[in-house]
Amino acid sequence: MTYEPYSIVGAARNSRWLITCDHASNIVPPDLGGTLGLEASDMGRHIAYDIGADGVVRALADALDCPAILTRFSRLVIDPNRGEEDPTLVMRLYDGSIIPGNRHVDAAEKQRRLDAYHRPYHAALEQLAARRDDMVIVAVHSFTPQLRGRTPRPWHVGILHAWDARLSDPLIAALENERDIVTGRNVPYPGHLPGDSVHRHGLNHGRQNTLIELRSDLIEEPAAQADWGKRLAPLLEAALQKADL
């Protein structure tokens, strides 16, 4: 089976919604030998991928009857949610773990990884996003409950946005009405970085967008992933109706 750096769910669905998952996988592609020299325990951590996000995205795309695109390479190989000039594009140290396979990455290898993984993913994402003039992009990520040596993170969901909060504002309001969900704005990280996925495919084109961060301990199991996908769908639909007014 030929390796592809991304997968698309529901490609034929004609919907305003497009769900993206930049950090869906902890795969190290075959041309890198399938490993970056890390222990399996490290490759199972958040440093390698967004735990649980893949399952949430698939369930959410089914619930909204819309397409979704998901990466098939680890963020440690090259981070698709970073601009091409971002200094954290290829990480050598992440949350206390040294990445042996990235220790000697030079400019040529960085370009090779851009061409092999990062750019094909973004080209496919933009092709999907450009199918409709009214496309709405929802990026789904997960965050760890606590970084090493840091304080615990209390939020269940963080909604991230930059200057365009047309969809994020009503979505936050809808989530805050759910009494069992602790929601934060631009947490656990602030807004967006220049050149990241939402900036590139949403903000730069004037497309409505939002980024949903789910705490990973809430979506570790497939059943929880499916539940969150189904739960988020009607909240997003209601938020879009308000955003369109």
Side-chain angles (χ1 to χ4, degrees):
M1 183 177 178
T2 303
Y3 169 79
E4 294 288 347
Y6 60 86
S7 59
I8 296 173
V9 174
R13 295 169 179 167
N14 182 27
S15 169
R16 287 187 67 185
W17 297 103
L18 172 60
I19 315 300
T20 70
C21 195
D22 295 331
H23 301 144
S25 174
N26 61 356
I27 291 173
V28 177
D31 58 0
L32 285 173
T35 176
L36 291 171
L38 284 168
E39 298 290 335
S41 57
D42 266 335
M43 290 304 296
R45 293 175 58 213
H46 72 283
I47 64 171
Y49 73 124
D50 280 354
I51 295 166
D54 180 291
V56 173
V57 164
R58 293 174 186 275
L60 181 57
D62 286 345
L64 291 173
D65 193 27
C66 72
I69 183 167
L70 308 94
T71 54
R72 296 190 65 249
F73 56 93
S74 172
R75 64 171 15 132
L76 295 179
V77 171
I78 192 164
D79 195 332
N81 195 35
R82 296 292 184 271
E84 293 192 9
E85 302 304 320
D86 193 296
T88 64
L89 189 65
V90 179
M91 295 289 283
R92 291 173 170 80
L93 175 68
Y94 198 155
D95 194 23
S97 293
I98 295 171
I99 319 303
N102 291 346
R103 185 176 299 167
H104 302 297
V105 170
D106 58 13
E109 173 60 13
K110 176 182 169 183
Q111 285 299 316
R112 192 197 71 80
R113 293 188 191 186
L114 282 167
D115 288 338
Y117 322 121
H118 192 283
R119 288 169 179 156
Y121 168 69
H122 282 289
L125 197 168
E126 183 56 33
Q127 187 173 27
L128 287 170
R131 295 196 307 187
R132 292 180 58 136
D133 292 338
D134 60 351
M135 192 66 80
V136 180
I137 295 177
V138 178
V140 176
H141 293 255
S142 71
F143 64 95
T144 185
Q146 184 176 11
L147 291 174
R148 287 179 176 176
R150 305 288 183 88
T151 57
R153 293 162 163 172
W155 314 281
H156 300 143
V157 182
I159 302 300
L160 276 59
H161 65 84
W163 60 85
D164 182 357
R166 286 175 293 169
L167 181 60
S168 296
D169 280 347
L171 179 58
I172 290 170
L175 285 162
E176 287 177 342
N177 285 333
E178 302 287 305
R179 296 189 177 184
D180 59 333
I181 298 178
V182 180
T183 304
R185 182 189 297 270
N186 286 331
V187 292
Y189 325 105
H192 294 289
L193 296 171
D196 70 10
S197 285
V198 171
H199 185 264
R200 181 171 179 171
H201 301 286
L203 297 169
N204 280 352
H205 297 272
R207 295 172 181 137
Q208 291 199 59
N209 65 84
T210 194
L211 190 153
I212 300 173
E213 287 271 4
L214 295 165
R215 206 175 69 201
S216 61
D217 61 321
L218 304 177
I219 53 171
E220 290 177 344
E221 300 300 325
Q225 295 160 19
D227 287 345
W228 272 99
K230 293 173 185 175
R231 186 171 189 181
L232 287 169
L235 299 177
L236 281 163
E237 292 276 25
L240 183 59
Q241 287 183 2
K242 292 184 177 180
D244 282 340
L245 293 178

